[in-house]
Amino acid sequence: MIVVATADFEVYHGVVGELRDRGVDFTTIEPGEELPDETSVVVTAADESHEPAGVEVVRADPATPRAAVDEVVSLLRGNGGKLVVGIDPGDRPGIAVLSGEMVVAAFQVPADQVAEAVHEELADAVDPLVRIGDGARLLGARIIDDLGDVTVELVDETGTTPHLGTGTRGMGDVLAAVNIARIEGEEIESREIDPTAGELKRIKERSREQSETNRAIGEGLARRVADGQLTIEEALAEHRDGDDE
């Protein structure tokens, strides 16, 4: 059983809300009260001295209650709390956060927000690992560079996207990210990509779709977009100003 024992209202409210959102059974007591016999983990505030004997204690920060609940779930699953983030790169990458074999968070964000989202998830993690699929080469390379000082493995993502049945539209990237997180890859610090003619063509096509005048950017700007120097919006602005080098 999970027991929440804290006099800190912010910690109580945040932790209880997270536990309820996940459908996890728990009970609450006042600090110092006798614990139920089945207690396995006690959650209390970081600055409280409550430290019951014989059970695991998780100390929660009011600003990050989810991190405390992640730790609680990890302890109950007996996996030591090792965090692995899987990323399925693309225009809206799927991201999955695993603690051992358990998925503790999953979401999709625009490609330019992936690094920020990952850093938030790993803020308090000890020796975390990020695994990213080797597809969508240009976007993947940009994400790897944006991640900075994080251990990253490049994973062969062949076969990681599952068949999706009725009512599961939009879940493929997230489920692929879960599978990617579970596959051992090759550690990598950066990924140098020379864009192919096909990749440059797709960038030009996307620029035409976003252009108010239905005009595509040229080769020079397309390469700068591919290298991550410009967004398509910035490239279109330079194109309008007559700079297409």
Side-chain angles (χ1 to χ4, degrees), residues 107-234:
F107 42 94
Q108 272 186 298
V109 297
D112 61 356
Q113 297 177 21
V114 170
E116 178 182 358
V118 171
H119 285 144
E120 288 180 3
E121 293 299 315
L122 302 183
D124 299 314
V126 177
D127 192 27
L129 174 64
V130 176
R131 288 173 171 157
I132 184 169
D134 61 358
R137 303 181 321 143
L138 299 177
L139 287 171
R142 201 174 310 159
I143 290 170
I144 291 169
D145 288 341
D146 291 344
L147 286 172
D149 189 22
V150 177
T151 301
V152 178
E153 290 182 359
L154 187 66
V155 171
D156 180 356
E157 64 176 53
T158 304
T160 54
T161 301
H163 169 72
L164 298 178
T166 304
T168 56
R169 183 177 179 180
M171 295 178 60
D173 295 331
V174 172
L175 293 175
V178 173
N179 289 330
I180 288 168
R182 290 173 169 156
I183 299 172
E184 186 174 347
E186 179 182 351
E187 189 169 332
I188 187 172
E189 293 184 359
S190 64
R191 194 180 186 196
E192 298 295 330
I193 298 295
D194 186 17
T196 65
E199 287 167 336
L200 292 174
K201 181 180 178 182
R202 284 192 290 275
I203 291 173
K204 293 177 186 180
E205 289 172 348
R206 287 172 55 202
S207 72
R208 185 186 299 279
E209 292 169 359
Q210 296 182 36
S211 171
E212 296 177 356
T213 57
N214 196 36
R215 296 181 61 186
I217 60 177
E219 183 90 3
L221 287 175
R223 285 189 174 276
R224 292 172 66 190
V225 171
D227 290 341
Q229 300 176 38
L230 298 173
T231 64
I232 286 183
E233 292 79 7
E234 292 167 341

Side-chain angles (χ1 to χ4, degrees), residues 50-61:
H50 184 51
E51 182 129 18
V55 297
E56 298 280 0
V57 177
V58 172
R59 299 196 174 278
D61 186 314

